[in-house]
Amino acid sequence: PRPILDMSYSRHFLDFQGSSIPSSMKKLVVTKLSQNFREAVTLRQDSPVPLPGDGDLLVRNRFVGINASDINYSAGRYDASVKPPFDIGFEGVGDVVALGLSASADYTVGQAVAYVKAGSFAEYTVVPAKQAVPLPSVKPEFLTLMVSGATAYISLKELGELSEGKKVLVTAAAGGTGQFAVQLAKKAKCHVIGTCSSNEKGGFLKTLGCDRTINYKTENVESVLRKDYPEGVDVVYESVGGKMFDLALNSLATKGRLIVIGFIAGYQNPTGLPPIKAELLPAKLLKKSASIRGFFLNHYLSEYKMALKHLLEMHERGDLVCEVDFGDMSPEGKFIGLESVFRAVDYMYMGKNIGKIVVELPHSVNSKL
């Protein structure tokens, strides 16, 4: 019998040998656990470019997404067993520049893909082919759907019980995920109220179809809700926490539902938690037959592909605005390069962004692709 030639995977990479992929790259690494992102994370200049295994893609990242939870990750709040150093960044969009033999059944070099996987704050990331999402082109708008869009879509579908005429309150409505909660609630023929921190954000929300915007810097949210919605609101999409959580809870209608997406107001605290008035919670829920539901995307991965497919189709049809904020209006200008991830995280916590914050990673022009 003919002997089977045992070739190492490095020989199977399509277009890997002799291509313009460098041997080293820049990436961000958590070197110390801290809720202070600048303190926790180090920019490494000469990390080795990882090699894809048999079922993997090597993706050259072109755009990476900033998430509020990046700080929770750098503080070690998701998995206490993980010790520094570890890679950071949750999502990216880029080109396939090399791949393993099995992965080549479904993908080719040069193909545009998006993915959700830890380690996107790097010039190159290895992504299992089964976790990648093929795209028609490399566009930052696709990145807005991966975590932010999917979170709004799945949580409202599974927990929101939206129907025509329901009153839906979206906090941080002009942010990365809030923009989708507003649009999806409008598509369900709901009456949508959005809180935001500037008139510019209020104007953006109106273009999305938001029925009532509340600028909490110039208006008292509690007073507005009590006056304009005396019966309360049916669903709250809540990602701020602290005082906003208490206020939203008090504003629930009978049988109202509050969906906790996050509590960004506390992420920079040592505990990660903003204080809330929880001791009255049982009485408040009982009095209104109301409920609070938490939503964490990782627990709904069985719904993920279907949700993303719908979102991509809506965007391609022009039915979904995917607002991207590159930080053009930030003091030091647009977020370009891994160095600017630090600025982008600061920008988000200052509440400056309209839409999803995205960092562009330039790549050298001498590349084949």
Side-chain angles (χ1 to χ4, degrees), residues 71-249:
I71 276 190
N72 285 337
Y73 199 61
S74 69
R77 289 179 187 143
Y78 288 143
D79 186 349
S81 67
V82 178
K83 301 286 181 256
F86 55 86
D87 297 348
I88 191 166
F90 290 127
E91 53 185 342
V93 166
D95 316 288
V96 175
V97 290
L99 66 174
L101 189 61
S102 297
S104 68
D106 299 305
Y107 288 91
T108 58
V109 165
Q111 190 161 356
V113 293
Y115 64 89
V116 176
K117 178 184 177 284
S120 70
F121 291 165
E123 291 178 320
Y124 295 85
T125 303
V126 167
V127 180
K130 62 179 185 294
Q131 288 180 25
V133 178
L135 298 174
S137 61
V138 174
K139 268 179 25 183
E141 285 76 15
F142 292 127
L143 203 49
T144 67
L145 303 174
M146 299 301 294
V147 171
S148 302
T151 294
Y153 185 97
I154 300 171
S155 64
L156 289 173
K157 179 174 174 285
E158 297 291 318
L159 310 178
E161 297 173 38
L162 301 184
S163 59
E164 187 170 353
K166 295 279 191 208
K167 293 185 278 294
V168 179
L169 171 65
V170 181
T171 62
T177 189
Q179 63 171 328
F180 295 109
V182 168
Q183 294 178 78
L184 294 169
K186 283 305 294 178
K187 287 185 190 312
K189 299 184 174 170
C190 297
H191 176 93
V192 182
I193 309 131
T195 70
C196 61
S197 60
S198 71
N199 291 335
E200 189 190 0
K201 291 184 179 188
F204 167 65
L205 290 174
K206 286 199 167 69
T207 68
L208 300 183
C210 197
D211 298 286
R212 174 69 162 96
T213 61
I214 308 174
N215 177 350
Y216 63 80
K217 295 278 178 76
T218 59
E219 293 180 274
N220 183 304
V221 180
E222 196 169 9
S223 303
V224 170
L225 291 173
R226 201 180 298 128
K227 176 174 167 287
D228 293 359
Y229 306 95
E231 301 291 303
V233 294
D234 301 295
V235 179
V236 182
Y237 185 88
E238 215 296 275
S239 58
V240 176
K243 288 176 183 167
M244 188 63 85
F245 173 89
D246 288 329
L247 195 153
L249 178 68

Side-chain angles (χ1 to χ4, degrees), residues 273-341:
L273 297 166
I276 59 166
K277 295 172 182 164
E279 63 275 9
L280 298 173
L281 200 56
K284 287 179 180 178
L285 295 178
L286 179 66
K287 187 179 165 189
K288 295 179 176 177
S289 292
S291 62
I292 299 174
R293 300 290 298 272
F295 179 86
F296 188 48
L297 187 59
N298 287 13
H299 298 147
Y300 288 84
L301 294 181
S302 59
E303 309 289 315
Y304 184 76
K305 287 228 155 155
M306 175 276 300
L308 203 58
K309 182 171 177 284
H310 280 187
L311 289 165
L312 285 165
E313 285 168 358
M314 286 164 74
H315 174 61
E316 290 293 282
R317 287 198 308 266
D319 287 345
L320 197 65
V321 174
C322 300
E323 189 69 20
V324 172
D325 192 332
F326 278 121
D328 294 298
M329 307 309 287
S330 70
E332 294 170 62
K334 191 173 175 180
F335 302 134
I336 296 181
L338 287 171
E339 304 81 4
S340 66
V341 167

Side-chain angles (χ1 to χ4, degrees), residues 14-25:
L14 307 185
D15 199 40
F16 191 89
Q17 306 297 328
S19 78
S20 57
I21 300 168
S23 57
S24 65
M25 65 172 187

